[in-house]
Amino acid sequence: MNNYFLAIIGGGPAGYTAAEKASKAGKDVILFEQNALGGTCLNVGCIPTKSLLYGAKQYHNATHAQKYGVTAENVTFDFAAMQKRKTIVVRKLVAGIKARLNNDHCTVVNGFARILDSIRQVWRIECNGETYEAENLMICTGSTNFVPPIPGIKDNPAVWDSTDALAATGLPKSIIIVGGGVIGMEFATLYHELGVPVTVIEAMPTILPNLDSEVVQILLDKYRKAGINILTSTKVESIDGNTIKLSTSELLSTLNSQPSTLSAERILVSVGRRANLQGLEALDGLELECGAIKTDEFCRTNLPNVYACGDVTGKIMLAHVASRQAEVAVGRMLKQIPLQRIAYNAIPSVVYTNPEIASVGLTEQQVRDFYTEMEGEAGIEKAGGVEAFYEVRKLPMTFSGRFMAENDGETGLCKLVLDAKKQTVLGVHCIGNPCSEFIAAASFAVRNGYTAAEMQQVVFPHPTVSEILHEIL
Ligand code: NAD
């Protein structure tokens, strides 16, 4: 049979979630994937990095165990074994998705799919020389690493992207990471914990520029003290082999007396990702926004019965956003009442540095910018300053007994941003292990517009680090 209710292009978190949901609802679904199921997240993103980072953390903990009364001598690691374990974890998860789609009777085709045309509201897709037809189309083609137009970057064997770094069989002797965003800082953590000298070059005045600045400062101070060379407000002018020519603003270079060139065995470039639009050329008139597919609140594009979910929509490039978008889109396609929506204001995010950073909702800076714009200069002055519109509560993580027991020498921070008048929770920002595991509780509060008083009525188990969310109220 080559006629389907839904054809999905791309088998990452968006694609396979949509396929499962629509198949479970009894619809005929076909999913095209040119590589392995699971997409970037499972194969060359979240899961492999977290597997390697866990290995690095085990090594780091073993070599820093003395403060807990444990001495381990001659601790070594085997990077090849870490890589092998990573591959096994990925393989098992990919096999799990395959089995689930199989159980749901979803057809999976391995190959590059190209949209041909639409005839009488039926979309025709070509893959491996076969033509398929579908009433609805969902584009979940994801994103790829962006290669900035820096002279000397292209076809340079010393230059890696995150996929190259994950595939490497050995560790580099030294590494320069261009881009101090999420990918850059996670790889900086991995290499640093495994003893590789690391330099991070970030164009903005701070690393992780979209996160709460106080939280980021704690990481920055810790990483610099630990020996990671982090250069901010610094751009790469050109690359020659494994040497980078830097361009720092004149003032900063005088102040910091930074060198104008840097060399390392490898240069990892992680300066963002771009939507994958190949194979979609026949979608005449498909509306784009900043190089990604423009979608509405139900992930509908401007073309009839064409949906797009995940990184290709360029909204928030996170796997959990992709899968939620897929749920919402399929719900809309199946006209499931009540129609669901995505709470973009309550998307949690985690950076797997050590310590971890986890956050949800608005940062203090975003709240300040919002009120400054809303109230204008006169309104702000009348109120006695922008601080009159919001409230910030902060606590070091050491207020949690469990944190104290398990994080010797660390202070961490939990920061809560409230609306001053309504006392609703606008954002929560944490640094300290394992904040990734309890940020979802804060997401509930932001998503449901809880007030501080309502959140305080939630009972948190003792002793857990999550209690900080109660203490801070
Ligand atoms: P990013 O946007 O997070 O960071 C890129 C950084 O590079 C920015 O800080 C930017 O200022 C800097 N930059 C840009 N051009 C530069 C230049 N020429 N020189 C120096 N610095 C430059 O992008 P990323 O780290 O590549 O991650 C890509 C996407 O993948 C992001 O959307 C991210 O959220 C997602 N991701 C998420 C996780 C996670 O959830 N833990 C992990 C990895 C990736």
Side-chain angles (χ1 to χ4, degrees):
M1 186 198 83
N2 275 358
N3 289 71
Y4 294 86
F5 169 77
L6 170 63
I8 301 167
I9 305 184
Y16 72 73
T17 305
E20 263 193 289
K21 191 168 156 84
S23 301
K24 272 196 165 57
K27 299 293 182 189
D28 290 323
V29 179
I30 185 164
L31 185 148
F32 301 97
E33 170 54 61
Q34 59 180 336
N35 297 316
L37 286 172
T40 300
C41 167
L42 245 71
N43 296 287
V44 287
C46 318
I47 302 301
T49 44
K50 264 81 265 177
S51 302
L52 290 178
L53 276 166
Y54 191 72
K57 198 188 254 183
Q58 294 306 308
Y59 175 68
H60 183 264
N61 286 347
T63 51
H64 291 75
Q66 235 165 355
K67 54 190 177 184
Y68 300 106
V70 177
T71 316
E73 279 167 15
N74 303 322
V75 181
T76 57
F77 68 86
D78 177 350
F79 189 67
M82 287 183 186
Q83 285 283 37
K84 201 169 155 197
R85 180 182 160 272
K86 172 207 84 178
T87 307
I88 292 168
V89 170
V90 169
R91 216 176 273 157
K92 280 186 183 163
L93 289 167
V94 171
I97 291 172
K98 211 172 179 176
R100 270 153 55 188
L101 292 177
N102 205 23
N103 282 347
D104 293 332
H105 307 292
C106 170
T107 306
V108 178
V109 177
N110 189 224
F112 179 80
R114 186 183 309 278
I115 293 157
L116 295 176
D117 49 30
S118 154
I119 300 172
R120 286 183 294 278
Q121 301 208 342
V122 172
W123 291 100
R124 293 196 319 137
I125 302 127
E126 183 273 325
C127 186
N128 300 334
E130 284 250 8
T131 303
Y132 302 84
E133 293 182 351
E135 219 176 291
N136 296 285
L137 192 59
M138 189 179 282
I139 303 160
C140 305
T141 46
S143 63
T144 35
N145 288 310
F146 172 62
V147 183
I150 296 172
I153 205 170
K154 257 194 159 177
D155 304 319
N156 181 340
V159 173
W160 275 353
D161 63 16
S162 59
T163 309
D164 300 321
L166 284 170
T169 48
L171 283 171
K173 288 192 182 68
S174 55
I175 193 155
I176 296 170
I177 299 175
V178 180
V182 188
I183 294 183
M185 293 318 296
E186 290 187 355
F187 274 100
T189 307
L190 174 74
Y191 291 123
H192 170 71
E193 292 197 335
L194 295 179
V196 176
V198 177
T199 296
V200 177
I201 299 172
E202 168 56 53
M204 301 289 281
T206 179
I207 54 166
L208 301 165
N210 297 327
L211 299 181
D212 178 89
S213 56
E214 262 180 287
V215 160
V216 170
Q217 193 60 44
I218 291 173
L219 184 80
L220 194 55
D221 291 345
K222 179 174 175 173
Y223 272 19
R224 279 186 169 147
K225 207 167 151 203
I228 303 180
N229 183 23
I230 301 177
L231 307 177
T232 51
S233 300
T234 305
K235 279 191 183 154
V236 174
E237 211 167 270
S238 60
I239 303 178
D240 183 8
N242 52 8
T243 299
I244 279 186
K245 187 161 186 242
L246 300 176
S247 82
T248 316
S249 80
E250 243 173 73
L251 175 67
L252 275 171
S253 60
T254 329
L255 286 175
N256 300 344
S257 58
Q258 284 178 10
S260 58
T261 61
L262 281 175
S263 298
E265 188 188 338
R266 295 285 171 193
I267 297 160
L268 169 62
V269 177
S270 51
V271 293
R273 297 178 63 86
R274 291 292 178 273
N276 280 335
L277 301 172
Q278 300 89 332
L280 313 177
E281 294 78 7
L283 284 176
D284 249 356
L286 178 71
E287 221 177 307
L288 302 183
E289 195 171 46
C290 303
I293 300 178
K294 191 175 173 189
T295 50
D296 70 5
E297 57 185 331
F298 300 113
C299 303
R300 291 180 299 188
T301 70
N302 64 316
L303 301 180
N305 302 336
V306 181
Y307 295 73
C309 297
D311 285 8
V312 77
T313 66
K315 286 206 184 331
I316 305 175
M317 289 191 180
L318 294 173
H320 44 282
V321 173
S323 46
R324 178 66 190 144
Q325 285 178 328
E327 287 169 359
V328 167
V330 173
R332 179 65 187 77
M333 196 182 293
L334 301 178
K335 301 182 179 66
Q336 288 174 339
I337 304 291
L339 288 175
Q340 295 188 20
R341 283 174 174 77
I342 308 163
Y344 282 113
N345 67 321
I347 304 291
S349 74
V350 175
V351 190
Y352 294 85
T353 43
N354 191 8
E356 296 170 350
I357 294 176
S359 57
V360 63
L362 297 173
T363 62
E364 183 181 358
Q365 190 56 50
Q366 286 167 335
V367 174
R368 287 178 74 93
D369 292 348
F370 171 78
Y371 282 116
T372 308
E373 196 186 321
M374 289 295 285
E375 301 294 326
E377 243 173 65
I380 297 289
E381 203 177 311
K382 196 172 159 208
V386 69
E387 292 80 8
F389 296 94
Y390 71 92
E391 193 186 322
V392 170
R393 297 189 194 173
K394 287 183 246 182
L395 267 191
M397 287 282 197
T398 45
F399 271 68
S400 149
R402 174 88 182 271
F403 184 85
M404 283 292 280
E406 295 181 357
N407 292 275
D408 204 87
E410 301 282 341
T411 45
L413 178 70
C414 180
K415 191 168 165 182
L416 181 78
V417 186
L418 293 171
D419 180 279
K421 219 189 259 168
K422 295 187 209 144
Q423 287 289 292
T424 44
V425 182
L426 300 176
V428 176
H429 310 275
C430 303
I431 180 164
N433 294 333
C435 57
S436 61
E437 289 301 334
F438 60 80
I439 196 66
S443 303
F444 259 74
V446 177
R447 163 76 175 78
N448 296 322
Y450 286 175
T451 61
E454 281 167 333
M455 198 170 158
Q456 197 163 29
Q457 291 173 41
V458 177
V459 178
F460 288 84
H462 178 75
T464 61
V465 183
S466 71
E467 285 173 287
I468 198 73
L469 295 178
H470 194 255
E471 292 289 329
I472 201 169
L473 297 163

